[in-house]
Amino acid sequence: MDSSLIALIVLSLCLGCGCWLVFLWAVKKGEFEDIERPKHRMLDDEDEP
Amino acid sequence: MTDPGTCFHCGSPILPGQLVTETGSGTTLSFCCRGCHGAYLLINGAGLAEFYRRRDWQESGVAASDFQSNLSAAYLARFVRQQAVGATVDIIIEGIRCASCVWLNEKILTGLEGVLEARVNYATGRARVRFAPERIDAGTIFSRIAQLGYRPRPYTASAAQEAAQQEQRDLLIRFGTAVFLTMQLMAYAFGLYAGYFQGIGAGMKNLLQLFSLAVTTPVIFYCGWPFFSGAWRALKNRAANMEVLIALGALASYGYSAYASFTGGEVYFETAAMIVTLILAGRLLENAAKRRASSSIELLLGLSAGEARRLTGDTLETVEAAALEVGDRIVVGAGERFPTDGRVESGMSEVDQSPATGESLPVAKGPGDPVIAGSSNLTGTLTVRCEKVAAESFIARMAHLVEEAQSRRAPIQGVADRVSALFVPLVLLAALGTLFWQAAQGLTWESALLNALAVLLIACPCALGLATPTAILAGTGAAAAAGILFRGGDILERLSRVDHAVFDKTGTLTQGVPELATIEAEPGCDPARLIALAAALEAGSRHPVGLAICAEAARRGLVVPRAERLLTVAGGGVTGRLDGERLLVGSARFLAENGVRELPRDRVYPSGALVVHLSCGERLLGTLLFKDRLREDAAEVVRYFSEQQIEGWLLSGDRQEAARQVAQAVGLTRAFGELAPAQKAERLEELRRQGGVVLMVGDGINDAPALGTADVGCAVAGGTDIAIETSDLVLVKPELGRLVLAHRLARRTMAVVRQNLAWAFLYNLIGVPLAMAGRLTPIYAACAMALSSLCVVGNSLRLLRRNDG
């Protein structure tokens, strides 16, 4: 049981690490610079081809 | 479909004689000028008429005649950055108010031939446009935005702004990392809590503790690094602030737990990690509040005379004001500001010098007269010979005074820092006392030291980091919703402690523009007729008196006849023809020069009033008196401050007599007139030396040094750029009454901060005796952490309730 618990803990750490890397990428790309506009943007483009 | 009295496009009231109509699909739309009509045609022609349905503002826009983009290509080229694919230019778009403005600009720009991508930032009103330089030039992009009725301004981020953005990213990464690791940590901690109640194998417990140690180490030493360096700086200055307490708490709990995880015992890793994470969160919140205010303030700053039109031979070119040299000739059109000090070479005009001198009425300028940088040209076009370079102009000298004043202003110590400064020595004493007392009681030094560390770890509340920022975020948020922008949390604190309120006169306590006060119609002439005739002559005038007459005519709903052959004489008045008769409106001298004889020479008018006569042919019809009226809420604001035991003063650049009259009318105790800008600042400096905490309210360039000197400088939107830039507190609408709201909010916010700190420390203080006795458990530390944080955040949110503002 101990070894399966360790495996799960390590697995959750790996998953978390993946999310963390995505977060780092998003910050570097400037995704958090304007957090107001996106919520309006989704309403806009209904007539786009 | 549309109200015939207001413009369909911009919502401004339509001045007499300026109506433009458009009939289409059965309805008639009214516009206030050709510009708005053009903008409507452009929007409608692009199939985007939906804009008018989407937009959610009802107030009128900026005067439509202001919109022309006359930026030269050479000037714009400096702002364009070449890239691998295309080129990029950053633009501040003035006039963005809602999501539909963003939508419209993006659509129109993206639709332009040659534009690859256009993104408009909703919060800051800045656009980044990527375009193919071989297919379109930057000038076309700018003029298209101007055609829409927005004002484009090229923009480059200053070094300071870029550094701030870099810091923000750095903080965000530290916070994100801390959150991710703390989440992992909490999973192990819950395993340990369960083990505490239900029993857990020693091997498993140790394993979880070691995993906890592994994830906590980077939280403390990477994410928490800014606090350690801050604490170190404070200690070097022999001061104890919040960061010292945080560093103490985090290091104590980390050290205690690391030791315990190798020797067997309870660990408090989650306390250490939570302190760091929550304080990082607090910093992010505080930064967000600050950035929101500063970007809103940036949008209020107008297109100051950063540019000038230089006349070389017969050609006009747009150059940077900084590039002007002594002896250069520049052309300043009606409605523009003078970029530098100079002397009029040709042309006649009237100049509003109130931003520079505090004089409330415009001054006539002709060849040979000096003009001051920052004052604005009202009626005619002037050619001016520069006498100073921009860097030595009046504005630049004021900016220099402001810098000096601000460098003298010491940062104040926040409540949290003051509490911590008191708390740190107490906690250290308690910890040392525990150590020695328990050692004396016969405990081993090891367990005595552990108990002493436990005292340190429980004494630093996690919610300490949230106590101030959440209250400030909520407080400034509530303020922003009411049109009050605080430049930072410390401003709220200073404003709550103010004991002197100092006001400027022109434009602050008074409207800053003349308003019709008295009508003296000659026998046989109806007052309404008098105003209608005057409005006919002044239609289209930019002169404040002309605007006041037209506004009065519109207010009374008069039908204004259309006069012909209008001729404006700067400093004199206007002549025109109506129904074959010659009409004159203007000063007594102007009328006398034009052959009107029966002027009321012997009549005495109140001082400070502007007198305008109207005549038909040679016959006098009547006299209009204009006065710079007090703002309606001025007296109310002054009364509020005196009720709060805050002494009110008036400092003005205008005549002593005028200053005294206004002070008396609103109920200020002391008034000083004829003060130069530097003297205003000196008065405040003197007040501050005597221990006063001073609030200064002003709007002009001449107020800027005083605004920078005061503990809290407050500018009103519509004032000059330099005043707005210098101030700590900006009212986005020229309503003085909001100052009362700002002061109340500041006091309420500071009360909440104090309550928050009390809550934060309360739960943890109960833990201190437990820790001294060696009976502290991780579950207690976790409960104290959660409860204090919840109380603090909940308490701060109370500030957002609007009902009792």
Side-chain angles (χ1 to χ4, degrees):
Chain A
M1 188 210 150
D2 275 14
S3 61
S4 64
L5 208 61
I6 293 172
L8 283 175
I9 289 178
V10 171
L11 185 68
S12 81
L13 264 177
C14 288
L15 278 175
C17 254
C19 294
W20 181 61
L21 289 175
V22 171
F23 166 74
L24 285 189
W25 169 81
V27 173
K28 294 248 156 83
K29 195 167 163 274
E31 290 289 330
F32 294 97
E33 239 101 279
D34 182 11
I35 49 179
E36 281 294 310
R37 176 65 181 134
K39 70 184 182 198
H40 297 291
R41 191 186 296 280
M42 71 178 183
L43 298 171
D44 282 351
D45 294 333
E46 57 232 327
D47 54 343
E48 285 286 284
Chain B
M1 146 115 207
T2 141
D3 172 11
T6 57
C7 177
F8 180 68
H9 177 71
C10 74
S12 304
I14 299 173
L15 294 177
Q18 297 193 343
L19 179 72
V20 180
T21 55
E22 157 87 12
T23 313
S25 58
T27 51
T28 304
L29 307 177
S30 318
F31 299 94
C32 67
C33 63
R34 296 264 161 221
C36 282
H37 183 220
Y40 165 75
L41 288 181
L42 177 69
I43 293 168
N44 200 33
L48 300 174
E50 253 236 307
F51 167 72
Y52 295 104
R53 201 175 59 70
R54 279 172 172 262
R55 66 175 178 189
D56 56 6
W57 49 270
Q58 300 298 328
E59 298 160 47
S60 61
V62 190
S65 50
D66 287 347
F67 296 111
Q68 301 151 354
S69 177
N70 54 359
L71 306 170
S72 76
Y75 176 62
L76 284 179
R78 298 193 307 116
F79 296 94
V80 176
R81 294 188 308 280
Q82 298 296 332
Q83 282 175 338
V85 186
T88 309
V89 63
D90 285 331
I91 308 170
I92 290 184
I93 302 181
E94 266 182 60
I96 288 205
R97 301 154 172 242
C98 61
S100 74
C101 296
V102 174
W103 174 80
L104 181 67
N105 274 290
E106 278 188 359
K107 287 282 165 187
I108 292 278
L109 289 178
T110 319
L112 270 181
E113 162 70 16
V115 169
L116 304 173
E117 192 188 10
R119 280 282 162 116
V120 181
N121 185 315
Y122 178 74
T124 60
R126 285 186 205 134
R128 174 160 290 181
V129 182
R130 209 155 57 79
F131 60 99
E134 65 280 2
R135 279 156 60 203
I136 191 169
D137 64 345
T140 317
I141 297 173
F142 276 74
S143 59
R144 180 51 70 103
I145 297 172
Q147 266 178 299
L148 280 176
Y150 299 91
R151 196 172 350 197
R153 222 175 340 147
Y155 164 78
T156 35
S158 67
Q161 280 167 324
E162 256 166 27
Q165 193 172 27
Q166 192 54 43
E167 198 193 306
Q168 174 72 8
R169 281 189 181 189
D170 183 67
L171 196 60
L172 197 57
I173 288 179
R174 281 184 208 268
F175 174 69
T177 310
V179 166
F180 150 70
L181 290 170
T182 309
M183 271 173 2
Q184 303 283 338
L185 175 67
M186 286 319 284
Y188 315 143
F190 269 84
L192 290 170
Y193 296 156
Y196 177 76
F197 290 113
Q198 303 177 349
I200 188 171
M204 182 46 79
K205 183 176 174 184
N206 195 238
L207 187 72
L208 285 179
Q209 289 179 340
L210 288 179
F211 268 114
S212 303
L213 173 66
V215 293
T216 311
T217 309
V219 174
I220 302 295
F221 293 104
Y222 165 67
C223 305
W225 188 250
F227 310 131
F228 294 134
S229 57
W232 178 241
R233 268 197 305 274
L235 285 179
K236 270 203 298 196
N237 294 329
R238 292 164 193 281
N241 60 4
M242 201 176 94
E243 279 164 330
V244 175
L245 187 58
I246 291 162
L248 209 60
L251 282 179
S253 29
Y254 178 78
Y256 180 102
S257 311
Y259 178 81
S261 48
F262 288 111
T263 56
E266 301 299 338
V267 295
Y268 296 86
F269 284 121
E270 69 277 17
T271 307
M274 267 301 176
I275 292 175
V276 171
T277 310
L278 288 185
I279 286 160
L280 282 170
R283 290 224 169 156
L284 274 178
L285 294 181
E286 207 167 340
N287 274 4
K290 209 182 261 182
R291 273 196 313 165
R292 188 178 52 192
S294 64
S295 64
S296 311
I297 289 171
E298 212 166 280
L299 283 177
L300 286 178
L301 299 176
L303 189 66
S304 66
E307 291 136 17
R309 282 185 292 151
R310 183 164 60 189
L311 195 62
T312 323
D314 283 334
T315 53
L316 264 182
E317 51 175 354
T318 306
V319 295
E320 261 185 293
L324 290 176
E325 284 174 30
V326 176
D328 277 354
R329 287 161 71 219
I330 52 172
V331 174
V332 181
E336 294 179 348
R337 284 186 190 279
F338 294 97
T340 183
D341 302 347
R343 209 164 274 278
V344 176
E345 206 161 65
S346 65
M348 287 290 283
S349 179
E350 267 156 301
V351 174
D352 176 13
Q353 304 203 102
S354 65
T357 61
E359 271 171 278
S360 42
L361 294 172
V363 182
K365 298 276 181 187
D369 289 334
V371 290
I372 312 172
S375 49
S376 60
N377 186 7
L378 293 174
T379 46
T381 302
L382 292 177
T383 308
V384 175
R385 186 172 287 278
C386 301
E387 291 191 327
K388 292 257 171 63
V389 294
E392 290 170 13
S393 73
F394 177 72
I395 299 185
R397 291 200 302 277
M398 289 304 114
H400 185 67
L401 282 176
V402 167
E403 260 171 50
E404 267 183 16
Q406 283 176 336
S407 67
R408 274 200 304 269
R409 196 161 81 170
I412 64 154
Q413 207 184 15
V415 177
D417 277 334
R418 273 179 292 151
V419 172
S420 303
L422 201 72
F423 208 65
V424 168
L426 280 180
V427 170
L428 282 175
L429 268 180
L432 278 177
T434 310
L435 177 68
F436 288 113
W437 183 71
Q438 294 194 343
Q441 294 290 306
L443 251 72
T444 57
W445 278 100
E446 191 193 330
S447 53
L449 187 65
L450 279 181
N451 286 346
L453 277 180
V455 170
L456 289 185
L457 85 86
I458 195 66
C460 172
C462 296
L464 179 63
L466 293 178
T468 319
T470 50
I472 281 169
L473 187 72
T476 53
I484 304 158
L485 301 172
F486 284 96
R487 224 186 253 275
D490 50 335
I491 309 302
L492 281 159
E493 184 149 2
R494 280 193 220 151
L495 183 61
S496 70
R497 289 202 242 149
V498 153
D499 56 18
H500 281 81
V502 181
F503 296 88
D504 167 51
K505 183 177 78 72
T506 313
T508 304
L509 287 177
T510 68
Q511 307 268 10
V513 288
E515 206 170 90
L516 186 58
T518 322
I519 309 167
E520 293 175 4
E522 293 296 313
C525 183
D526 174 37
R529 172 88 185 137
L530 193 67
I531 291 166
L533 288 179
L537 287 176
E538 295 282 6
S541 160
R542 275 176 167 278
H543 191 281
V545 165
L547 293 175
I549 292 176
C550 291
E552 180 68 19
R555 195 180 65 78
R556 295 182 174 220
L558 300 177
V559 180
V560 176
R562 188 172 280 230
E564 284 163 345
R565 305 209 343 236
L566 293 177
L567 185 72
T568 308
V569 178
V574 185
T575 66
R577 283 198 166 271
L578 185 72
D579 303 330
E581 288 201 85
R582 196 164 79 119
L583 286 176
L584 294 149
V585 63
S587 66
R589 194 166 54 92
F590 174 69
L591 264 68
E593 279 166 7
N594 282 281
V596 182
R597 310 230 174 274
E598 33 176 311
L599 287 172
R601 282 172 208 286
D602 48 345
R603 209 169 300 168
V604 181
Y605 296 106
S607 70
L610 187 77
V611 185
V612 171
H613 303 285
L614 178 76
S615 77
C616 176
E618 291 182 5
R619 191 164 56 86
L620 187 73
L621 294 181
T623 303
L624 302 173
L625 259 68
F626 295 86
K627 273 191 114 167
D628 186 9
R629 241 198 21 195
L630 286 177
R631 285 189 195 276
E632 277 148 21
D633 36 15
E636 196 184 315
V637 171
V638 170
R639 195 170 56 239
Y640 167 81
F641 278 120
S642 70
E643 272 165 20
Q644 303 289 320
Q645 319 291 307
I646 295 169
E647 201 179 322
W649 284 22
L650 185 134
L651 298 184
S652 177
D654 211 343
R655 290 166 301 110
Q656 175 71 41
E657 175 60 21
R660 209 185 47 75
Q661 268 178 11
V662 169
Q664 215 162 33
V666 296
L668 288 168
T669 44
R670 306 183 71 173
F672 302 93
E674 284 158 59
L675 292 176
Q679 287 173 312
K680 283 191 179 185
E682 271 165 32
R683 292 269 166 171
L684 297 193
E685 188 64 43
E686 221 176 279
L687 256 180
R688 294 192 62 219
R689 263 203 303 275
Q690 292 160 10
V693 183
V694 186
L695 163 72
M696 168 82 201
V697 191
D699 70 326
I701 299 171
N702 58 340
D703 300 322
L707 289 169
T709 305
D711 294 276
V712 181
C714 170
V716 178
T720 50
D721 285 0
I722 184 169
I724 293 173
E725 264 175 89
T726 308
S727 54
D728 313 295
L729 166 60
V730 179
L731 308 181
V732 297
K733 284 218 176 138
E735 289 168 20
L736 221 47
R738 292 177 195 232
L739 199 56
V740 172
L741 192 60
H743 185 252
R744 281 207 190 120
L745 255 172
R747 288 216 164 154
R748 272 178 57 209
T749 307
M750 289 330 288
V752 167
V753 167
R754 274 181 226 112
Q755 290 158 11
N756 279 353
L757 289 170
W759 277 120
F761 279 104
L762 184 73
Y763 294 107
N764 291 55
L765 279 178
I766 299 170
V768 170
L770 286 177
M772 283 173 144
R775 288 170 174 274
L776 190 69
T777 60
I779 204 80
Y780 178 80
C783 282
M785 183 166 80
L787 275 176
S788 60
S789 304
L790 277 178
C791 284
V792 160
V793 172
N795 194 33
S796 294
L797 288 178
R798 287 191 313 127
L799 283 171
L800 287 178
R801 285 201 329 225
R802 299 278 291 280
N803 50 7
D804 48 356

